[in-house]
């Protein structure tokens, strides 16, 4: 709602930027979803889950809505994204699922792993998410890591953090008996190699718009691959 002008430059296909969705319709959807979600957690779950949901809603609000609109700050934006996608979505959803099944909360090695893994991965998403939007962000005077340091530096930083993440997963698979070692090691080794391949491919493409979009799409693809692997780890 607050980024329509920037989206018209970066992502003109989005509903509001393209004119398919009006401001009134957008506000109605946001209000209905926020109130509906809060009503569900308050009536169906305990205080902890309700508090986690409210905290996530609060972070999303201060991220996007003036006067704070913390997405304009590179550091604040990545901290919010890492907190929501890392801790809240993994710990919170796991806890809510067990509560819905009538089970008490219990940590397990895979859940501990995915929470730590995705928190670092979300940090990578937070610092690379603006690579495809760098032109509009510069025009809109939005401070991001991409506008500060440039496409190449952020690409290599994000890829380096991902490789650290995958190396940690491989070490965990080799040293913690609770994990499915062949899958933990093999899958994360292959995903790490894919990061190296995509990084050097983008470098050869001289950080073209299409190349950056393909690279960022690959980051999301391997992000969701982790959840496909999770039940088997």
């Amino acid at each position: 709602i607050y980024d329509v002008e920037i989206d018209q430059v970066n992502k003109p296909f989005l509903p509001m930027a393209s004119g398919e969705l009006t401001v009134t319709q957008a506000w109605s959807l946001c209000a209905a979803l926020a109130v509906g979600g809060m009503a569900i957690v308050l009536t169906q779950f305990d205080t902890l889950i309700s508090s986690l949901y409210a905290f996530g809603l609060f972070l999303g609000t201060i991220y996007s809505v003036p006067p704070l609109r913390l997405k304009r700050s590179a550091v604040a934006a990545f901290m919010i994204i890492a907190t929501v996608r890392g801790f809240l979505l993994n710990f919170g959803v796991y806890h809510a699922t067990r509560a819905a099944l009538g089970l008490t909360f219990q940590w397990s090695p895979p859940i501990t792993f995915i929470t730590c893994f995705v928190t670092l991965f979300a940090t990578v998403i937070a610092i690379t998410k603006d690579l495809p939007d760098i032109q509009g962000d510069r025009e809109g005077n939005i401070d991001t890591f991409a506008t500060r340091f440039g496409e190449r530096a952020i690409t290599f930083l994000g890829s380096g953090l991902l490789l650290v993440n995958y190396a940690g997963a491989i070490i965990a698979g080799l040293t913690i008996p609770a994990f499915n070692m062949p899958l933990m090691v093999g899958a994360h080794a292959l995903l790490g190699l894919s990061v190296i391949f995509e990084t050097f491919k983008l470098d050869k493409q001289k950080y073209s718009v299409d190349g950056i979009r393909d690279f960022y799409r690959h980051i999301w693809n391997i992000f969701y691959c982790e959840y496909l692997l999770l039940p088997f780890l």
Side-chain angles (χ1 to χ4, degrees), residues 32-42 53:
L33 292 171
V35 172
M38 200 70 234
I40 290 172
V41 295
L42 287 173
Y53 181 89

Side-chain angles (χ1 to χ4, degrees), residues 94-111:
Y94 174 68
H95 186 18
T97 301
R98 289 188 65 89
L101 296 172
L103 302 173
T104 58
F105 178 81
Q106 181 179 356
W107 279 108
S108 68
I111 295 303

Side-chain angles (χ1 to χ4, degrees), residues 163 166-167 170 182-198 218 222 225-226 229:
L163 292 177
Y166 286 122
I170 291 170
L183 180 63
M184 191 78 163
V185 173
H188 290 105
L190 289 174
L191 291 171
L193 288 173
S194 78
V195 171
I196 296 173
F197 174 78
E198 292 294 331
H218 181 71
I222 59 177
C225 278
E226 204 61 36
L229 292 171

Side-chain angles (χ1 to χ4, degrees), residues 161-212:
L161 290 174
L162 286 178
L163 292 177
V164 169
N165 222 12
Y166 286 122
I170 291 170
I171 292 171
L174 291 171
T175 58
I176 301 176
F179 290 119
N180 179 343
M181 192 267 286
L183 180 63
M184 191 78 163
V185 173
H188 290 105
L190 289 174
L191 291 171
L193 288 173
S194 78
V195 171
I196 296 173
F197 174 78
E198 292 294 331
T199 301
F200 283 102
K201 184 176 79 170
L202 178 58
D203 200 49
K204 286 184 177 181
Q205 293 172 335
K206 303 300 181 184
Y207 302 91
S208 65
V209 173
D210 289 339
I212 287 174

Side-chain angles (χ1 to χ4, degrees), residues 1 3 11 36 41 57 64 76 78 84 99 101 129 131 139 143 177 210 212 230:
I1 293 174
D3 290 335
K11 300 171 183 175
V41 295
L57 188 60
S64 301
F78 103 77
V84 172
L101 296 172
K129 71 179 180 64
L131 283 172
E139 292 179 8
D143 177 34
D210 289 339
I212 287 174
L230 179 61

Side-chain angles (χ1 to χ4, degrees), residues 118-133:
V118 171
T119 297
L120 182 54
F121 207 120
T123 301
V124 174
I125 290 174
I127 64 175
T128 60
K129 71 179 180 64
D130 299 304
L131 283 172
D133 302 336

Side-chain angles (χ1 to χ4, degrees), residues 44-104:
Q44 303 298 320
F45 294 99
D46 61 21
T47 303
L48 176 58
I49 294 175
S50 299
S51 299
L52 290 174
Y53 181 89
F55 182 52
L57 188 60
F58 168 74
L59 290 178
T61 301
I62 63 174
Y63 176 83
S64 301
V65 178
L68 293 179
R69 206 179 181 207
L70 294 181
K71 68 175 296 179
R72 288 182 174 273
S73 166
V75 175
F78 103 77
M79 291 179 66
I80 289 174
I81 292 172
T83 300
V84 172
R85 288 200 172 274
F87 174 73
L88 287 180
L89 283 184
N90 292 284
F91 170 79
V93 171
Y94 174 68
H95 186 18
T97 301
R98 289 188 65 89
L101 296 172
L103 302 173
T104 58

